[in-house]
Amino acid sequence: MYDVIVIGSGPGGYVAAIRAAQLGMKTAIIEKYPTLGGTCLNVGCIPSKALLDSSEHYHNAAHTFKTHGITIKDLKVDLPQMIARKDDVVKQNVDGIQFLMKKNKIEVHQGVGSFVDANTVKVTKEDGTSTDIQGKNIIIATGSKPSSLPFIKLDKKRVITSTEALKMKEIPKHLIVIGGGVIGMELGSVYGRMGAKVSVVEFMDSLIPSMDKTMGKELQKSLKKLGFEFYLKHKVTAVENQGKEVVVKAENGKGETIEIKGDYVLVSIGRKPYTDGLNAEAAGVKITDRGQVEVNDHLQTSVPHIYAIGDVVKGAMLAHKAEEEGVYVAETIAGQKPHINYLLIPGVVYTWPEVAAVGYTEEQLKEQGRKYKAGKFPFMASGRARASMDTDGLVKVLADAETDEILGVHMIGPRTADMIAEAVVAMEFRASAEDIARMSHAHPTYTEAFKEACLAATDNRALHI
Ligand SMILES: Cc1cc2nc3c(=O)[nH]c(=O)nc-3n(C[C@H](O)[C@H](O)[C@H](O)COP(=O)(O)OP(=O)(O)OC[C@H]3O[C@@H](n4cnc5c(N)ncnc54)[C@H](O)[C@@H]3O)c2cc1C
């Protein structure tokens, strides 16, 4: 009898297992794939960032090195090597999780986990053999899979998901991306930087539509410079694989149908929770109409000693959100009283410029009728950004009109994925814009843009613009 059984080894599951083991609980983890780490490490965060870094190096070598005074002859992309390096990065990371399981004495069971009853999980290996294991507490961390539209046939050759986009055999000539969200913009950037024409078809009126509107607008400007073309407010109605060519049909706001022809279509319209094979009903665990495992505010399912975390439950589908929930549940089982501040889980898009945000968007504050002030600082006015030739983008700080408390920070620019951490700390400690404006930020750094935006929010006092 284990104290805790975790089903799924993504960032939610493996972190939950480590924290449970740290707290002295006898822990097992079940993973159906041969490697640990889930979507994030195998076909998500890590491989996409590896390819984003490689393609950005190529793009800079092709387009900005000359201005820096560096000339390269015979520059070309070796795609198989780029993919091989990505695979090596993935291997280092998934092997690292295997090591962490061993170090923390967590028993790894390879196979599909399915409930037999509320305390028993059957682990079925690929060869069909199975073992039953029992746990006092069980954590469901089975993650998500790419979603599609009912009329789209994902043949995984020309009509692909993010998983196939991470192991392409050739650079597309014309990649059509359905969905202007994070994954589509990141993977579109990878191939756009290496010369692919990229067309984006998005139903909403802006890119990355769940983020502050300014971010979508600015990102669109930057990606246009990279050669992207956009079909916003277009509803995809058909996708046809015609052999060497793929045709996407979409309806614009006036009801007219347009046709876009390319050689690959990336369907990136979001992800759906994954519970196939889990046999949740055998344990009495309820699944919502949207396919998520139903949980209360303590991440307990309809069966109190069975918890669920990460992409398979409500909330943002992000690795660090899943990790926080993993720690939360392990500590709850151990009798502690942990807490997660969901408002302060940052969101990042690893395009270039990067987009990063935390807290409320300007649209949300307007909707709430909250009085706020906004301070902005463009990277064009940053000495550091000029030195590195990364002047696209800005930092926007939203603060309460009366108390000056920071309510939201939205950044688009160089290294904002790392910079957003300062905003998270500030907001977690409920800093005012003036608090940040009065703190020394090393010069020259990109972080000065955050300080300047805070100065701008505090009686329009920005110094360098
Ligand atoms: C291309 C791409 C890029 C991304 N980039 C980022 C990023 O930069 N930052 C970020 O925060 N998020 C990113 N994400 C999202 C991130 O990957 C997910 O939010 C995260 O992996 C969710 O973690 P999880 O533990 O809930 O589930 P998952 O990582 O999906 O892991 C679930 C695991 O459970 C296993 N499993 C499922 N059912 C069973 C079963 N019955 N028995 C045994 N095992 C089972 C699965 O095989 C899988 O390994 C990206 C996603 C994609 C696709």
Side-chain angles (χ1 to χ4, degrees):
M1 176 68 89
Y2 290 103
D3 294 316
V4 178
I5 295 175
V6 184
I7 309 176
S9 72
Y14 83 73
V15 166
I18 293 173
R19 188 70 189 117
Q22 282 177 345
L23 291 163
M25 293 183 269
K26 190 176 175 212
T27 307
I29 191 161
I30 307 172
E31 172 54 56
K32 68 176 193 172
Y33 285 129
T35 53
L36 303 178
T39 304
C40 179
L41 274 68
N42 290 282
V43 290
C45 329
I46 298 297
S48 58
K49 264 80 266 179
L51 291 182
L52 278 157
D53 280 330
S54 298
S55 58
E56 183 62 12
H57 285 317
Y58 171 76
H59 180 78
N60 281 334
H63 298 281
T64 67
F65 274 22
K66 209 169 163 205
T67 318
H68 280 280
I70 306 163
T71 318
I72 299 180
K73 275 197 189 131
D74 302 330
L75 179 72
K76 59 176 191 286
V77 177
D78 178 352
L79 189 64
Q81 166 56 22
M82 204 180 270
I83 301 285
R85 188 197 80 94
K86 178 266 303 178
D87 289 341
D88 188 47
V89 172
V90 168
K91 187 173 179 331
Q92 289 168 34
N93 280 276
V94 299
D95 287 353
I97 305 300
Q98 192 76 42
F99 165 78
L100 289 173
M101 296 299 105
K102 210 168 168 186
K103 182 185 163 208
N104 287 285
K105 301 189 174 52
I106 296 160
E107 287 179 29
V108 178
H109 295 264
Q110 209 249 311
V112 175
S114 54
F115 282 101
V116 175
D117 59 43
N119 290 95
T120 314
V121 183
K122 185 186 284 299
V123 185
T124 309
K125 289 197 169 151
E126 224 175 318
D127 64 12
T129 58
S130 67
T131 330
D132 285 0
I133 58 173
Q134 293 198 307
K136 289 181 201 155
N137 299 281
I138 298 172
I139 304 173
I140 301 170
T142 49
S144 62
K145 282 273 175 294
S147 0
S148 185
L149 294 165
F151 55 85
I152 298 180
K153 188 174 174 293
L154 289 167
D155 58 49
K156 302 195 176 179
K157 290 189 175 77
R158 299 250 163 228
V159 185
I160 60 175
T161 70
S162 56
T163 304
E164 293 73 50
L166 293 167
K167 50 183 183 194
M168 299 290 280
K169 298 256 186 314
E170 60 176 356
I171 298 168
K173 287 178 195 65
H174 184 185
L175 176 67
I176 304 167
V177 178
I178 302 180
V182 180
I183 294 176
M185 293 310 91
E186 289 187 1
L187 292 172
S189 293
V190 166
Y191 295 103
R193 289 165 185 172
M194 296 194 290
K197 177 177 172 188
V198 181
S199 302
V200 180
V201 191
E202 164 60 50
F203 180 68
M204 306 288 276
D205 62 354
S206 84
L207 298 181
I208 45 171
S210 61
M211 297 182 94
D212 190 283
K213 276 262 159 35
T214 311
M215 299 295 107
K217 269 193 207 143
E218 293 294 319
L219 181 62
Q220 192 175 346
K221 275 193 230 161
S222 293
L223 292 178
K224 251 188 189 155
K225 287 189 206 167
L226 196 60
F228 276 45
E229 67 178 24
F230 296 97
Y231 298 87
L232 300 181
K233 289 200 271 182
H234 277 71
K235 184 179 160 190
V236 172
T237 52
V239 175
E240 287 162 24
N241 179 352
Q242 301 182 341
K244 288 206 164 138
E245 202 174 58
V246 211
V247 181
V248 172
K249 289 184 184 156
E251 209 177 275
N252 65 19
K254 295 178 205 149
E256 298 157 350
T257 297
I258 59 145
E259 243 185 51
I260 314 166
K261 289 182 181 161
D263 51 348
Y264 289 91
V265 177
L266 168 64
V267 181
S268 50
I269 57 160
R271 296 181 60 85
K272 54 177 186 221
Y274 182 75
T275 53
D276 291 5
L278 188 63
N279 200 22
E281 53 281 12
V285 170
K286 280 194 193 139
I287 308 287
T288 68
D289 296 343
R290 302 180 66 186
Q292 293 163 333
V293 176
E294 191 177 284
V295 285
N296 64 15
D297 288 348
H298 298 287
L299 300 167
Q300 275 171 313
T301 67
S302 43
V303 184
H305 67 271
I306 302 179
Y307 297 79
I309 59 174
D311 280 10
V312 81
V313 301
K314 61 190 175 184
M317 285 185 163
L318 292 169
H320 43 287
K321 177 259 193 187
E323 290 188 28
E324 291 306 324
E325 292 184 336
V327 170
Y328 179 97
V329 165
E331 292 182 351
T332 301
I333 294 170
Q336 298 185 1
K337 298 269 179 287
H339 175 71
I340 298 174
N341 185 350
Y342 283 98
L343 178 66
L344 299 192
I345 290 183
V348 173
V349 191
Y350 293 82
T351 44
W352 197 265
E354 293 174 337
V355 187
V358 64
Y360 294 114
T361 64
E362 198 160 350
E363 293 74 36
Q364 285 171 329
L365 292 177
K366 278 184 186 147
E367 219 175 271
Q368 291 167 18
R370 191 144 179 193
K371 290 212 171 71
Y372 67 93
K373 41 192 190 155
K376 286 185 191 164
F377 189 81
F379 280 101
M380 189 63 93
S382 147
R384 182 71 191 90
R386 278 194 219 117
S388 67
M389 286 172 51
D390 293 307
T391 49
D392 275 8
L394 58 96
V395 175
K396 172 159 115 176
V397 170
L398 304 169
D400 188 278
E402 273 168 39
T403 66
D404 197 36
E405 179 177 352
I406 300 175
L407 303 174
V409 179
H410 307 276
M411 304 173 163
I412 173 164
R415 300 278 165 237
T416 57
D418 297 290
M419 272 168 58
I420 200 67
E422 183 187 1
V424 176
V425 174
M427 290 180 69
E428 198 65 76
F429 285 91
R430 303 195 63 176
S432 64
E434 182 155 16
D435 285 334
I436 300 301
R438 290 193 176 276
M439 287 176 196
S440 174
H441 286 64
H443 175 74
T445 58
Y446 302 123
T447 68
E448 288 168 295
F450 180 39
K451 173 180 170 143
E452 290 276 1
C454 286
L455 277 165
T458 316
D459 301 328
N460 214 3
R461 274 165 37 201
L463 294 164
H464 289 87
I465 192 155

